[in-house]
Amino acid sequence: MSNLPPFDLVIFDCDGVLVDSEPLSCRAFEQVYANHGMALPEGIVASGIGMKQADIMRMIEDRTGHRLPDGADSHFWPETKLLFAEQLQPTKGIADFLQPLSQKRCVASSSQPERIAFSLKKTGIDHYFGEAVYSSSMVKRGKPAPDLFLFAAEKMGVDPARCVVIEDSPFGVEGAVAAGMTAFGYTGGGHTYEGHAEKLASKGARQVFGDWDDIAREILVAA
């Protein structure tokens, strides 16, 4: 029997948690820079997983000096959408996890609403969330600030202390903890790396899981 407190709301990150999108997203990001004659160092885009697109661009500029021309950021989604349409898959076991979930659930993602909607529909899990989908474009500050998680909890009518956030990125875990929520780390996506679980734990993830069956045993029993 779990000794975790009950959760009334399960908040899911989208990219890398619900859908196995991060390797595809990184390829698209790198391609846009390459199209403008800028080769990015290996791993630099991946180091920004969980951040808003604009924040990743600033991080790249700070670390490499590469700055895209004005308006070139509009190329990211078309490039990404092509890859998603061909290759995007849900994370393994997510539908089986969502189907019996009795608690309220929502999505809180750093991606733009159009991308979130496309990802959920493409992978066949959109009906599990309905309108309960929130983007960092709806708040002032993206992850690791707590704004998006607090916004989602308010919209869903749930006390932050009774929310659990499932995140694959250190920035997301940090934001969830700052919001006063329980954070679970998830390392089941295709972008996981050596030390991933330890990094999530270091940011405050209460537990870190590599598959949905293990998370189900915690959340469903804790309900």
Side-chain angles (χ1 to χ4, degrees):
M1 178 68 68
S2 173
N3 60 1
L4 288 171
F7 302 119
D8 295 333
L9 174 64
V10 184
I11 301 177
F12 297 84
D13 181 36
C14 184
D15 294 294
V17 172
L18 293 172
V19 300
D20 200 3
S21 57
E22 295 296 9
L24 301 176
S25 299
C26 290
R27 280 169 51 192
F29 223 92
E30 291 164 355
Q31 186 60 51
V32 171
Y33 276 84
N35 291 345
H36 289 85
M38 304 175 197
L40 296 181
E42 183 177 353
I44 191 169
V45 178
S47 70
I49 285 174
M51 298 168 64
K52 294 173 74 169
Q53 177 177 290
D55 293 337
I56 297 175
M57 292 173 65
R58 278 192 287 271
M59 178 265 292
I60 289 172
E61 183 175 0
D62 289 344
R63 289 172 57 179
T64 69
H66 292 327
R67 181 190 179 102
L68 289 173
D70 290 345
D73 58 327
S74 66
H75 301 166
F76 286 123
W77 172 233
E79 196 76 42
T80 305
K81 189 176 183 179
L82 288 173
L83 292 175
F84 279 14
E86 295 174 354
Q87 302 178 43
L88 185 63
Q89 297 292 324
T91 53
K92 185 178 179 181
I94 184 58
D96 290 337
F97 175 84
L98 291 169
Q99 196 279 326
L101 188 64
S102 60
Q103 291 102 323
K104 292 182 177 180
R105 81 287 298 269
C106 70
V107 179
S109 169
S110 294
S111 293
Q112 292 295 308
E114 181 184 359
R115 170 171 162 161
I116 303 169
F118 184 90
S119 298
L120 297 178
K121 186 172 180 62
K122 172 67 171 61
T123 53
I125 58 174
D126 52 321
H127 62 284
Y128 289 111
F129 298 99
E131 299 298 315
V133 177
Y134 308 108
S135 162
S136 61
S137 64
M138 300 173 180
V139 295
K140 183 176 181 180
R141 299 179 300 169
K143 306 169 188 179
D147 301 29
L148 177 58
F149 296 121
L150 294 172
F151 178 78
E154 180 181 6
K155 289 292 186 182
M156 298 297 292
V158 177
D159 183 340
R162 298 179 69 85
C163 298
V164 59
V165 178
I166 304 176
E167 270 282 356
D168 65 308
S169 80
F171 299 108
V173 169
E174 193 175 342
V177 172
M181 301 176 179
T182 297
F184 283 174
Y186 177 72
T187 60
H191 63 296
T192 194
Y193 51 89
E194 186 176 351
H196 190 182
E198 291 78 9
K199 194 163 188 179
L200 296 176
S202 75
K203 293 297 185 179
R206 177 175 293 182
Q207 297 187 66
V208 181
F209 303 91
D211 66 75
W212 288 107
D213 286 344
D214 289 341
I215 300 177
R217 280 188 279 273
E218 291 293 340
I219 290 181
L220 295 177
V221 171

